[in-house]
Amino acid sequence: MAHLIRHKISNKLTNAANTVSDKSQAKVSGVFARLGFQAATDEEGLGFAECDDLDYDYRHGMQMDVLQDDGEGAPVDGEGALDGDSHYQRDGTVRRPSALKTGGSLEEDKPKITSWEAGWNVTNAIQGMFVLGLPYAILHGGYLGLFLIIFAAVVCCYTGKILIACLYEENEDGILVRVRDSYVDIANACCAPRFPALGGHVVNVAQIIELVMTCILYVVVSGNLMYNSFPGLPVSQKAWSVVATVALLPCAFLKNLKSVSKFSLLCTLAHFVINILVIAYCLSRARDWAWEKVKFYIDVKKFPISIGIIVFSYTSQIFLPSLEGNMQKPSEFHCMMDWTHISACVLKGLFALVAYLTWADATKEVITDNLPSTIRAVVNLFLVAKALLSYPLPFFAAVEVLEKSMFQGGGRAMLPNCYGPGGQLKSWGLGLRVALVVFTLLMAIFVPHFALLMGLTGSLTGAGLCFLLPSLFHLKLQWRNLLWHHVFFDVAIFVIGGICAISGFIHSVEGLIEAYRYNIHD
């Protein structure tokens, strides 16, 4: 009898525990579902695979219908009529709609790039002119600034990899398939289904701000370098910025970057030569290096600006999805990211430390301004030439983003198309391009502070595009496949990136206000 009673009590307790467990699991799943981190059951996974097939067939069939309806000569916009998670691709063998030409024919395959060529592009982005501001970051950060150069390299390398991971989903066979093409596609997928276009708008705004600010920095650094190269001439830094902008006005007429790209390799090589010259001069004064000036404490007010400068010097996430999609062997992307960021970290750290040791507390915002006048003019002229030839790249990219989002969205465009039937840019569209060039000049005139602008941009958009958004998108889209340490890394990067972005933005704005109020030039 006692055994029977114990057996009944045990069954009731087991049933109650199972009921509580099921309810708890349902509540937890409901919470994660509302947050967007929804775990799929076996039936849901099977349904997802079937929907993947149907959605692909539907998109492909709809694209063919569009081609047949439009007839010959009607352009097909790869980002136009098809909304959602970009355009599905099976095992990399199916062409995306963006590869379709007018008349329904397909474009020939674009030549793919090797991992070395891809690495050169990344190196060109993270080893550009903005390295010149890193010694100024060491001035206010000391050894912690050197640590941040290493830390930023590791984090940016990691977030670049997880951003690419968000382009892929597993099909029914467990094979990773590239279902998204760009940063905007990833953002839209994260905000779907409630706000399918919100994420894309946020990323587009961030991209435009960063690209336009990069153009402004090129104008600022051109005026700064020319002014310090010829201090005896009765020409101010603002006047030199105007001269540089006059030389940049032809950028408004650009249709493509073929002519500019011919000079990009020479400009980059010239920049490496200039870096070597600066380091050689610093090494010649090694006996006078001020090691005692490298601090272990930080300037609480100025150090957050240094964080923005360092982060901005590593920004490359904007074009990584396109770069990975054009690689001959996408499987080598991770290795390419590793060696490019390791080399960038070593070179930036050495350059920043050696330059700061040479000039210590006299370190200026643009380190070449510290060089003796005998070689400063020659080095600065090369840098000005590089800045002017680098300006068209971010300018053209910003123009493309603005035109596609505001003037070329078909029925969704906010403004009429800026191109005529023959593909010619309308006069008012050309006027808007000229206005954008003039806007970069006005900003360079009224805010001629290279390091502060660089810190502001790095804190505002650099941290967002490199730290915050990749980690958030990775958590949202890859939640089912993440291990606990991946979740920890993503959350930690999001929190640290958010703190750095807010503090850097506040202190950069305070620095700009102070410089403007007291007319501080350096």
Side-chain angles (χ1 to χ4, degrees):
M1 187 65 179
H3 177 72
L4 182 60
I5 292 174
R6 285 197 301 270
H7 181 69
K8 289 184 177 180
I9 293 174
S10 177
N11 287 338
K12 289 183 178 180
L13 291 175
T14 302
N15 292 334
N18 290 335
T19 302
V20 172
S21 177
D22 292 340
K23 289 183 179 180
S24 301
Q25 186 175 0
K27 289 182 180 179
V28 172
S29 299
V31 171
F32 279 109
R34 286 191 293 272
L35 292 174
F37 304 105
Q38 189 168 1
T41 61
D42 293 339
E43 292 80 8
E44 290 171 339
L46 181 60
F48 175 80
E50 294 174 352
C51 289
D52 189 7
D53 292 340
L54 294 173
D55 188 59
Y56 167 79
D57 294 334
Y58 169 72
R59 292 170 183 268
H60 187 66
M62 186 169 66
Q63 185 65 49
M64 292 299 103
D65 292 339
V66 171
L67 286 173
Q68 293 170 2
D69 292 341
D70 289 347
E72 189 169 354
V76 177
D77 186 1
E79 297 180 2
L82 305 181
D83 292 330
D85 277 2
S86 78
H87 316 297
Y88 282 80
Q89 185 181 7
R90 293 239 181 142
D91 300 334
T93 60
V94 177
R95 298 175 187 268
R96 303 185 189 101
S98 58
L100 294 169
K101 286 178 67 177
T102 59
S105 62
L106 293 173
E107 286 184 354
E108 296 181 359
D109 287 337
K110 294 181 179 180
K112 299 291 186 178
I113 60 176
T114 65
S115 59
W116 285 102
E117 292 171 329
W120 178 258
N121 283 309
V122 174
T123 301
N124 192 25
I126 62 179
Q127 293 276 49
M129 289 192 63
F130 304 115
V131 177
L132 300 176
L134 290 180
Y136 188 77
I138 304 300
L139 173 65
H140 298 298
Y143 285 110
L144 187 56
L146 287 174
F147 169 76
L148 274 178
I149 291 176
I150 301 172
F151 178 77
V154 173
V155 173
C156 288
C157 181
Y158 173 77
T159 56
K161 293 176 181 178
I162 64 175
L163 185 67
I164 297 303
C166 293
L167 298 172
Y168 291 85
E169 296 284 354
E170 287 187 358
N171 63 7
E172 61 274 18
D173 298 324
I175 300 174
L176 288 177
V177 180
R178 201 175 202 263
V179 297
R180 304 179 185 97
D181 292 328
S182 65
Y183 210 141
V184 172
D185 290 338
I186 296 172
N188 284 336
C190 287
C191 294
R194 293 184 179 179
F195 308 101
L198 176 62
H201 293 323
V202 172
V203 171
N204 276 335
V205 170
Q207 286 178 343
I208 291 171
I209 292 174
E210 179 154 322
L211 291 169
V212 172
M213 290 296 289
T214 302
C215 293
I216 295 169
L217 284 169
Y218 281 133
V219 178
V220 170
V221 77
S222 298
N224 181 289
L225 291 171
M226 292 300 294
Y227 176 74
N228 287 282
S229 299
F230 307 101
L233 294 179
V235 183
S236 66
Q237 178 176 333
K238 296 179 180 179
W240 281 119
S241 297
V242 173
V243 173
T245 305
V246 171
L248 294 171
L249 280 176
C251 294
F253 298 89
L254 283 175
K255 294 183 179 179
N256 54 65
L257 292 177
K258 288 184 179 179
S259 57
V260 179
S261 61
K262 295 178 182 178
F263 299 98
S264 61
L265 178 60
L266 293 176
C267 291
T268 305
L269 291 175
H271 184 61
F272 275 112
V273 171
I274 292 169
N275 285 347
I276 292 173
L277 290 175
V278 173
I279 292 177
Y281 175 81
C282 294
L283 291 176
S284 68
R285 297 182 54 188
R287 65 182 64 183
D288 299 323
W289 281 357
W291 285 98
E292 69 279 1
K293 295 289 185 180
V294 186
K295 305 178 291 292
F296 282 98
Y297 63 90
I298 62 174
D299 185 336
V300 177
K301 187 174 182 180
K302 297 289 183 65
F303 182 66
I305 303 174
S306 302
I307 297 175
I309 293 173
I310 293 170
V311 171
F312 186 72
S313 70
Y314 279 106
T315 53
S316 64
Q317 271 73 359
I318 292 177
F319 64 87
L320 288 182
S322 175
L323 191 69
E324 189 266 353
N326 285 284
M327 290 180 64
Q328 291 177 357
K329 298 179 180 179
S331 59
E332 297 178 352
F333 177 82
H334 282 206
C335 180
M336 181 273 295
M337 289 290 288
D338 289 337
W339 66 260
T340 53
H341 283 74
I342 290 174
S343 60
C345 174
V346 173
L347 292 175
K348 287 181 178 182
L350 288 176
F351 181 84
L353 179 61
V354 168
Y356 175 74
L357 289 174
T358 304
W359 289 286
D361 293 339
T363 300
K364 297 184 178 181
E365 291 185 359
V366 182
I367 195 60
T368 54
D369 290 343
N370 288 102
L371 292 171
S373 57
T374 53
I375 62 174
R376 184 197 312 159
V378 177
V379 173
N380 284 355
L381 284 175
F382 276 102
L383 285 173
V384 169
K386 175 175 170 52
L388 296 180
L389 290 172
S390 301
Y391 181 96
L393 297 172
F395 175 81
F396 191 77
V399 166
E400 278 197 321
V401 174
L402 285 170
E403 288 179 351
K404 287 182 179 180
S405 59
M406 300 181 66
F407 302 100
Q408 295 178 302
R412 302 190 311 275
M414 294 183 290
L415 298 171
N417 199 334
C418 57
Y419 287 91
Q424 296 294 325
L425 184 65
K426 295 179 181 178
S427 57
W428 61 269
L430 179 61
L432 290 177
R433 289 189 175 195
V434 173
L436 183 58
V437 177
V438 174
F439 173 76
T440 61
L441 168 64
L442 294 176
M443 287 292 295
I445 288 176
F446 288 106
V447 194
H449 300 281
F450 180 75
L452 291 175
L453 278 177
M454 189 175 169
L456 177 64
T457 308
S459 301
L460 184 62
T461 60
L465 292 172
C466 294
F467 291 178
L468 303 181
L469 294 183
S471 57
L472 182 63
F473 293 165
H474 193 228
L475 287 170
K476 178 67 164 56
L477 296 177
Q478 301 292 325
W479 177 259
R480 292 173 295 176
N481 304 320
L482 297 182
L483 300 176
W484 70 267
H485 60 275
H486 294 144
V487 176
F488 173 78
F489 289 152
D490 290 347
V491 173
I493 290 172
F494 185 84
V495 173
I496 295 173
I499 295 173
C500 293
I502 294 173
S503 61
F505 176 77
I506 293 174
H507 287 87
S508 295
V509 171
E510 288 179 349
L512 287 172
I513 294 174
E514 182 179 349
Y516 183 78
R517 179 181 300 171
Y518 299 105
N519 196 25
I520 300 173
H521 295 287
D522 193 1

